[in-house]
Amino acid sequence: MDDLSNPAVGYSFISDPHNFFSNDQDQLMQAFLTDPQLQAQFIASYGLDGKPLWNTIAFCKWLDSYAQCYGLLLLHAEVLGGSPVHGPKLTAMTYMNIPTSTHRNFVAFGKYIAMLVTYHKGNSITGIEKLIPHPLDAVTSDLVVQDLAITCPFAQQAALICYLKQPKICSLYSNHLFLNNGHLFDTTDISNLMDLFTAETLHTTLGIQGWRQVSMAFRCKMYPALNDLMGNDSRETGMFLECFGLFKPVLEVNIVAAMDRHIEELVYAEMLFGLDLQMKAKFKDLFEPITHVKDLPNDVIAEICLQDANQTIKR
C-alpha cells in the first residue's frame, strides 16, 4: 500500500504501517551481531560498558560494495525503466518525502513499483510540476523493495559509523536511493558503468548519450509488436506506449488506476509474446516460411478446367 496523497515528511510505502516493513528494519544489523564470522570482521573490540567498537574500515569497504550494487540497479532503471531518464534526475531520487519536496521518486502503484520523474518544462507558466512514471521490471522492483526494507537501514547505521562528523552524508543515506559511498552518482558514473558492461557484451562502448539514440530500437527488439502499436491511435494504445516513454495526448485519468492497468497490459503482452515464440518453436514445421515460387517443384502439373467459361455466378 502506498498513500500517494500523504505529504508528511518521511513518509514512503516502506514506512506505511499497513505494509509491515517497519517491523524488521534492524534484522540485518542483528545478523551482523549474532554471526561469529561477521562479528570478527566488523567489530574491532568491546568497550568497558560492553558495547561494540566498530571496525570503521570494514564498514567503509561494505559501503563501497553497496555502491557497486546501487550502480547495477541504476543501469537496470536506466535501461529497463521506460524512456531514458536524464542523469541528474535519476541519481538524485528520494524514496521518501523530504522537507524540500513532497514528491518522492519511488512509489507503489498497486503491486507495481515505479519511478516518478519530475518534468519541469512549462512549470513557470502553469505553476505545476508534471510527474512522469517509469515502471520498473519485476527483478529491479523486488531488489529495490528488499533494499529499502532491509539493507538501507543498515547502510544508515554504517554511514553514521564511517561519516560520524559529516551529517550531510548521513542525511543522504536517510532519504536517497542510488548512493555512491558518501555521495550521489553523477552522469559520468552512469556512463562509465554502461561503458564497462556494454564493452564486454556488445564489443563497443555505449554510454548514456549513445543509449538515448538506440533505446527506441532496443525496446522494439524486446517487444516487436511495438512498431505496430505506434501506428495505432486508440486511447488504450496511447496509454500503453507511455510505458515505453512514447507520449501521446490522452484524456486525464486516475493515475494509480491507469498505471496499474498499463503495466498489467504490458505484462500480459510480454507473456503472450513468449507463448507465441514457444508455439512457433514447438510446431516449427508448420511455421516455416512458404517456399518461394522459384523453388517449387515443376514435375507436378495441375490445371483448372471450366465447363462453360461464359457462365456467371449470381447471388
Side-chain angles (χ1 to χ4, degrees), residues 49-68:
D49 56 359
K51 294 183 178 179
L53 301 177
W54 304 109
N55 184 343
T56 305
I57 296 177
F59 275 97
C60 288
K61 290 182 177 179
W62 184 90
L63 285 176
D64 187 61
S65 299
Y66 189 50
Q68 295 178 34

Side-chain angles (χ1 to χ4, degrees), residues 2-12 15-17 97 102-104:
D2 192 351
D3 185 0
L4 302 181
S5 63
N6 190 334
V9 174
Y11 176 81
S12 69
S15 63
D16 193 301
N97 296 337
T102 57
H103 297 309
R104 57 194 181 279

Side-chain angles (χ1 to χ4, degrees), residues 56-247:
T56 305
I57 296 177
F59 275 97
C60 288
K61 290 182 177 179
W62 184 90
L63 285 176
D64 187 61
S65 299
Y66 189 50
Q68 295 178 34
C69 178
Y70 265 149
L72 296 178
L73 284 178
L74 261 177
L75 295 187
H76 271 255
E78 173 70 6
V79 175
L80 301 176
S83 60
V85 181
H86 289 290
K89 294 181 180 179
L90 181 64
T91 58
M93 290 189 170
T94 61
Y95 66 86
M96 65 169 62
N97 296 337
I98 59 177
T100 56
S101 175
T102 57
H103 297 309
R104 57 194 181 279
N105 298 110
F106 276 84
V107 296
F109 292 104
K111 57 185 177 180
Y112 303 105
I113 304 299
M115 301 182 299
L116 287 183
V117 179
T118 306
Y119 184 75
H120 296 285
K121 290 183 179 180
N123 180 33
S124 58
I125 299 175
T126 63
I128 301 174
E129 291 184 342
K130 294 182 180 180
L131 298 176
I132 304 175
H134 291 253
L136 298 179
D137 64 281
V139 174
T140 308
S141 298
D142 184 62
L143 291 174
V144 168
V145 171
Q146 291 195 54
D147 169 65
L148 293 178
I150 300 173
T151 317
C152 193
F154 179 83
Q156 296 173 19
Q157 297 296 323
L160 288 173
I161 295 171
C162 298
Y163 304 105
L164 180 61
K165 296 182 179 181
Q166 302 181 59
K168 290 185 178 180
I169 294 180
C170 297
S171 177
L172 288 177
Y173 279 95
S174 298
N175 47 48
H176 280 75
L177 201 62
F178 305 143
L179 291 171
N180 190 10
N181 199 356
H183 60 274
L184 299 176
F185 283 91
D186 56 30
T187 305
T188 302
D189 294 327
I190 303 176
S191 284
N192 290 339
L193 285 170
M194 293 187 71
D195 287 344
L196 178 64
F197 286 97
T198 55
E200 181 179 351
T201 305
L202 305 178
H203 306 295
T204 185
T205 57
L206 184 66
I208 287 183
Q209 185 175 0
W211 166 245
R212 288 173 181 164
Q213 302 298 323
V214 304
S215 61
M216 188 63 243
F218 178 76
R219 277 173 262 158
C220 288
K221 180 66 176 178
M222 290 183 63
Y223 187 74
L226 188 59
N227 283 321
D228 298 330
L229 289 170
M230 291 174 65
N232 191 329
D233 292 328
S234 69
R235 179 169 178 268
E236 289 75 13
T237 299
M239 296 165 71
F240 177 83
L241 290 176
E242 288 185 22
C243 294
F244 289 93
L246 304 175
F247 294 92

